[in-house]
Amino acid sequence: MMKRAAQLGSGQGGGRTLLLLCALLMWVSRGVAQNVPPTPVPTGATAAPALPALPAGSVPSVAKSQAAPTAVVEPTLPGMQPAQGEEVDRVVAIVNGQLILDSDVDRERRFAALLPYGAEGGPYNRDEAIERLINRDLILQQLQLQPGGEVTQEAAGRDLDALRKSIPTCAKYQCETQEGWDKFLATQGFDEESLTSLWRQRMEVLEFIEQRFRMGIRILPAEIQDYYTNTMLPEYAAQGVEAPPLRTISRRIQEVLLQQRVSKLLDDWLTSLRAQGNVVVLHAGEEVR
């Protein structure tokens, strides 16, 4: 996913890899979103009480985009003079020497619209998108140093087949057909090959996070009981709603606590990588020095 400074003059900013998804973790929220305690059913409602929800978020989407670059601004690299009429991608951040461009931020926006939980993330925020891309680059750099199991294009394709059914806006295009799926992707600036590559690298980042942080974490029965007693029961009591028995939702609570633990470990790790490395965010008007 690397872009070198020499590529800036070519105007092909849409061809670099990336970020977590993620969101890590839409796929890093900065990668993983914080867990929100379950909201009880209001007094007088007839619906069954809500179970604790898994924390939203993901690890950022990662990959080489085949889409055309976005509209770009004047070059910010010192001493660089573009040819007459040539458009140059603007550098928005540098992560240990690797560039994040305006076109990458635009690709992140378009990719977020395809994620199953994209609608839950609220309105698009450019600064948060840049943060996700920075975190994703940091993770991908670690993946190069500590390679794990590679996800194949075929595996990513199978995962995307299931994704078609999870995108509400896909229905009107009849995405169950190849023609409809292609038309929908075109509205987001992707084709199937570029999206599959992006999705494959997203899956690799998620697997890396799973292996590095989730494996070995144990949630003790006392922690589950504490969450149930001190988080769930007071919320249900405040609304005058009877809480479900612990035995019926203990596994759900365990998963919530596990995700919280992974999120904290991941956030601490990314903070450490930033401190050890060299991350620069460039705002409008600033130049690469």
Side-chain angles (χ1 to χ4, degrees):
M1 68 161 286
M2 307 178 185
K3 279 197 174 72
R4 296 175 172 81
Q7 291 178 302
L8 290 179
S10 68
Q12 299 299 320
R16 77 181 297 282
T17 303
L18 302 172
L19 109 214
L20 243 92
L21 223 226
C22 140
L24 285 80
L25 285 47
M26 98 248 41
W27 184 313
V28 184
S29 65
R30 297 183 358 195
V32 180
Q34 297 298 319
N35 175 62
V36 178
T39 302
V41 179
T43 304
T46 58
L51 297 180
L54 289 175
S58 58
V59 176
S61 48
V62 291
K64 291 185 178 180
S65 170
Q66 302 301 320
T70 56
V72 289
V73 300
E74 291 299 316
T76 55
L77 290 178
M80 189 172 73
Q81 297 296 327
Q84 183 67 27
E86 185 178 11
E87 292 183 335
V88 181
D89 233 345
R90 186 175 75 87
V91 179
V92 297
I94 307 173
V95 183
N96 296 326
Q98 297 183 17
L99 305 183
I100 295 176
L101 306 179
D102 245 340
S103 57
D104 298 318
V105 181
D106 178 68
R107 184 199 61 223
E108 175 72 4
R109 175 188 60 79
R110 291 183 284 109
F111 183 74
L114 301 178
L115 296 177
Y117 44 80
E120 300 174 7
Y124 171 74
N125 185 303
R126 176 181 169 82
D127 290 338
E128 290 179 359
I130 293 174
E131 285 298 303
R132 286 196 300 270
L133 289 169
I134 290 172
N135 288 331
R136 217 165 294 172
D137 269 6
L138 289 169
I139 294 172
L140 289 174
Q141 290 169 12
Q142 292 301 307
L143 267 171
Q144 294 177 353
L145 299 175
Q146 308 170 40
E150 182 178 352
V151 177
T152 64
Q153 289 285 96
E154 291 73 18
R158 290 193 296 269
D159 210 48
L160 280 174
D161 284 340
L163 176 68
R164 298 188 193 188
K165 305 174 183 178
S166 305
I167 305 176
T169 54
C170 211
K172 66 179 180 180
Y173 291 91
Q174 297 181 323
C175 285
E176 64 275 9
T177 67
Q178 187 62 43
E179 181 181 6
W181 178 237
D182 290 340
K183 287 181 179 179
F184 173 74
L185 293 183
T187 66
Q188 302 298 329
F190 294 105
D191 57 31
E192 188 166 33
E193 182 179 358
S194 64
L195 180 62
T196 302
S197 295
L198 189 63
W199 197 263
R200 177 183 63 80
Q201 293 188 26
R202 175 184 183 274
M203 291 173 66
E204 288 181 346
V205 169
L206 288 171
E207 183 176 343
F208 175 81
I209 293 171
E210 176 87 7
Q211 293 177 353
R212 183 179 181 95
F213 299 106
R214 187 182 177 108
M215 303 300 290
I217 295 179
R218 293 185 59 207
I219 303 298
L220 301 176
E223 295 177 279
I224 298 175
Q225 178 68 57
D226 181 72
Y227 183 91
Y228 179 78
T229 301
N230 297 317
T231 300
M232 290 191 63
L233 292 183
E235 291 291 337
Y236 279 97
Q239 298 296 328
V241 178
E242 183 179 358
L246 174 60
R247 66 178 183 276
T248 65
I249 56 172
S250 61
R251 295 191 64 175
R252 186 71 167 177
I253 293 175
Q254 181 182 35
E255 182 65 21
V256 168
L257 295 175
L258 184 61
Q259 293 288 7
Q260 287 180 335
R261 192 81 57 83
V262 170
S263 177
K264 179 62 168 59
L265 290 173
L266 177 61
D267 187 64
D268 290 345
W269 182 66
L270 287 170
T271 299
S272 175
L273 289 179
R274 284 178 177 239
Q276 296 170 16
N278 185 7
V279 176
V280 178
V281 178
L282 299 173
H283 302 286
E286 293 182 338
E287 295 184 350
V288 178
R289 299 185 185 278

